[in-house]
């Protein structure tokens, strides 16, 4: 029997590496692609610019939708009906593929998760963790308690309203007390008590379930060409990054390997993505951080300064950190039934001019943009999949790395 194979796009840094560009590229290369969201939720921000200069920042729907790919929300994805519907409308106007399916076990964010998230971050003041404020981590926390758990399949059940009211009546106070938050902003407190919030969310959920098909992860092998799209990056992985400044999910292969085991996927061709420099949003360590990188002119309209994550922070790329993070991730496949082949894509090279600095642990060097991708891939001990010299698909120069099967 022929081995089921899948491709994967994984961020190798702190997020914002250019995963959307590569997902769009791979989806456009292969017909009948299904983009599988393997972690995270609507806090993702993956930018795609089509050859027709159509630009969209994907949050919930897979970044292959403008290239004709369907989207599947895996059991490791956190659905956000309130935010999905706005994106669905925007993408429908752009002619995107809006075939959506979901594993029934995918968790669901409620308005109360969002409110708790924002209240906590506001209470931290200058010590914020850098949350996006959309309730992702709070959704994970609430679902650790079975009596407050809410999954996609629960949206189809007649007691959905009762579950939601139980979350408001019992979970909110329990969670805020555990966090030591005695006072929350008046506007958030009023919204929590407003029954209209429950009614609007119920309507959002009814619209959501009308747009998605229940499809368990174990049956993904029956679909078309599978393309895993990870969110955030390896340096934010909850088991690898610097706690507490991490995301509440596994950002690399771990979730994909679990899905592969269920679905009978025998091989994953993973492309790790990095900018030619390092960025980070929000709080947390960033080695070598500087205000400006000589040789780099950052052009990033997606990551404009905002109240929740602040400004985009910068540092020269450290290829030793890159190599160790990817090696750790690839080792997760050891002992599993899924073969993994890894390659590297380097992005944002159009933002480099003259020479740019990179580090390799204690060593440093300055390289030209033209030699940067090959140099970074060599330091990372990976074959070079390709390099990106602009915002969209036509700006990607693909290589032919050994060990990766290309469509």
């Amino acid at each position: 029997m022929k081995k089921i194979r899948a491709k994967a796009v994984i961020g190798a840094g702190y997020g914002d590496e250019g995963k959307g560009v590569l997902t769009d590229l791979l989806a456009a290369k292969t017909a009948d692609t299904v983009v599988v969201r393997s972690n995270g939720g609507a806090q993702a921000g993956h930018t795609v610019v089509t050859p027709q200069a159509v630009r969209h920042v994907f949050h919930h729907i897979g970044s292959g939708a403008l290239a004709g790919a369907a989207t599947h929300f895996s059991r490791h994805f956190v659905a956000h009906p309130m935010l999905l519907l706005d994106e669905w409308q925007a993408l429908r106007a752009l002619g995107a593929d809006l075939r959506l399916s979901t594993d029934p076990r995918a968790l669901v964010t409620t308005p109360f998760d969002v409110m708790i998230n924002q209240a906590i971050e506001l209470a931290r003041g200058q010590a914020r963790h850098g949350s996006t404020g959309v309730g992702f981590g709070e959704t994970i926390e609430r679902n650790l308690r079975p009596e407050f758990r809410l999954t996609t399949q629960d949206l189809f059940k007649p007691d959905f309203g009762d579950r939601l009211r139980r979350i408001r009546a019992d979970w909110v106070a329990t969670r805020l007390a555990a966090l030591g938050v005695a006072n929350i902003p008046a506007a958030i407190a009023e919204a929590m008590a407003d029954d209209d919030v429950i009614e609007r969310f119920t309507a959002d959920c009814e619209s959501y379930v009308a747009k998605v098909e229940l499809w368990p992860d174990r049956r993904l092998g029956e679909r078309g060409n599978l393309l895993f799209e990870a969110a955030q990056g390896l340096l934010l992985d909850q088991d690898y990054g610097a706690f507490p400044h991490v995301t509440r999910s596994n950002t690399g292969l771990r979730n994909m390997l679990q899905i592969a085991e269920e679905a009978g996927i025998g091989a994953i061709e993973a492309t790790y993505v990095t900018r030619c420099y390092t960025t980070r949003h929000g709080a947390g360590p960033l080695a070598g951080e500087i205000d400006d990188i000589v040789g780099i002119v950052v052009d990033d309209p997606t990551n404009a300064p905002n109240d929740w994550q602040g400004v985009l922070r910068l540092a020269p790329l450290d290829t030793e950190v890159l190599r160790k993070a990817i090696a750790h991730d690839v080792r997760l496949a050891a002992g599993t039934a899924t073969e993994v082949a890894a390659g590297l894509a380097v992005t944002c090279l159009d933002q480099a001019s003259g020479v740019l600095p990179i580090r390799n642990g204690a060593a440093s060097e300055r390289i030209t943009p033209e030699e940067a991708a090959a140099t970074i891939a060599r330091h990372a001990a990976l074959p070079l999949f390709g390099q990106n010299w602009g915002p969209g698909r036509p700006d990607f120069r693909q290589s032919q790395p050994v060990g990766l099967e290309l469509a």
Side-chain angles (χ1 to χ4, degrees):
M1 185 173 65
K2 185 177 179 181
K3 182 184 294 185
I4 300 174
R5 306 180 72 88
K7 289 183 170 61
V9 175
I10 300 172
Y14 295 100
D16 303 310
E17 303 96 343
K19 296 181 292 293
V21 174
L22 191 57
T23 301
D24 173 70
L25 173 81
L26 293 174
K29 288 173 62 63
T30 308
D32 197 25
T33 294
V34 179
V35 172
V36 180
R37 291 293 310 272
S38 56
N39 75 292
Q43 87 278 33
H46 297 176
T47 304
V48 169
V49 179
T50 71
Q52 295 76 35
V54 174
R55 181 179 181 275
H56 180 78
V57 181
F58 286 86
H59 297 289
H60 204 292
I61 296 171
S63 299
L66 289 172
T71 298
H72 176 76
F73 307 130
S74 76
R75 68 183 175 98
H76 298 288
F77 183 75
V78 173
H80 203 311
M82 296 170 283
L83 297 182
L84 169 78
L85 300 179
D86 287 340
E87 183 170 31
W88 195 90
Q89 293 284 2
L91 285 170
R92 185 176 68 169
L94 297 176
D97 192 316
L98 293 172
R99 291 173 294 152
L100 309 179
S101 62
T102 181
D103 186 278
R105 296 166 292 179
L107 303 182
V108 177
T109 293
T110 73
F112 308 112
D113 302 312
V114 176
M115 294 175 196
I116 293 172
N117 180 188
Q118 295 185 3
I120 293 168
E121 281 292 272
L122 290 170
R124 288 180 176 134
Q126 296 302 311
R128 289 185 183 184
H129 286 182
S131 167
T132 58
V134 300
F136 174 76
E138 286 304 310
T139 304
I140 303 293
E141 185 68 29
R142 172 177 50 78
N143 279 276
L144 296 176
R145 296 279 296 271
E147 67 270 35
F148 300 120
R149 190 173 180 83
L150 188 67
T151 66
T152 298
Q153 62 188 349
D154 294 326
L155 303 183
F156 293 82
K157 296 178 179 179
D159 67 343
F160 163 62
D162 293 336
R163 290 170 181 261
L164 197 59
R165 283 185 285 274
R166 190 182 311 129
I167 290 169
R168 180 175 68 174
D170 299 331
W171 169 250
V172 172
T174 299
R175 177 62 173 155
L176 290 175
L179 291 164
V181 177
N183 298 300
I184 61 176
I188 294 179
E190 291 172 7
M192 283 184 175
D194 190 348
D195 286 340
D196 285 345
V197 170
I198 288 182
E199 291 181 11
R200 289 195 298 271
F201 181 63
T202 300
D204 287 340
C205 290
E206 289 173 349
S207 182
Y208 174 62
V209 299
K211 291 176 171 59
V212 296
E213 178 184 6
L214 289 180
W215 191 280
D217 290 348
R218 59 181 170 78
R219 292 182 56 197
L220 278 172
E222 302 172 23
R223 305 288 291 272
N225 296 292
L226 302 177
L227 172 58
F228 289 110
E229 180 182 11
Q232 291 81 49
L234 297 181
L235 300 182
L236 292 176
D237 186 279
Q238 64 181 351
D239 296 324
Y240 185 78
F243 186 84
H245 302 288
V246 295
T247 187
R248 289 291 296 270
S249 72
N250 296 111
T251 58
L253 282 171
R254 187 181 298 276
N255 293 352
M256 300 175 189
L257 291 167
Q258 292 178 9
I259 296 168
E261 182 180 12
E262 284 192 16
I265 297 168
I268 296 176
E269 300 155 10
T271 302
Y272 293 88
V273 189
T274 180
R275 295 195 190 203
C276 58
Y277 55 97
T278 301
T279 65
R280 178 163 194 165
H281 256 128
L286 178 58
E289 181 174 5
I290 52 180
D291 292 334
D292 295 293
I293 303 175
V294 176
I296 297 289
V297 178
V298 179
D299 180 14
D300 194 339
T302 300
N303 292 299
N306 63 79
D307 290 339
W308 295 106
Q309 291 185 299
V311 300
L312 192 66
R313 299 160 60 195
L314 306 174
L317 180 67
D318 189 329
T319 56
E320 181 179 68
V321 172
L322 179 73
R323 179 177 67 255
K324 289 181 177 179
I326 295 173
H328 174 271
D329 199 52
V330 172
R331 282 197 298 271
L332 297 175
T336 73
T338 305
E339 175 190 355
V340 172
L344 187 73
V346 180
T347 65
C348 297
L349 287 161
D350 56 307
Q351 298 175 22
S353 60
V355 293
L356 67 149
I358 64 168
R359 299 191 61 81
N360 186 18
S364 62
E365 59 184 301
R366 298 183 66 83
I367 53 178
T368 67
E370 291 72 23
E371 63 187 351
T375 302
I376 293 167
R378 184 175 69 254
H379 286 327
L382 287 176
L384 180 64
F385 177 80
Q387 48 191 296
N388 202 47
W389 289 80
R393 202 185 308 159
D395 305 303
F396 195 88
R397 303 176 188 174
Q398 186 168 307
S399 304
Q400 186 75 18
V402 176
L404 288 180
E405 176 187 337
L406 304 182

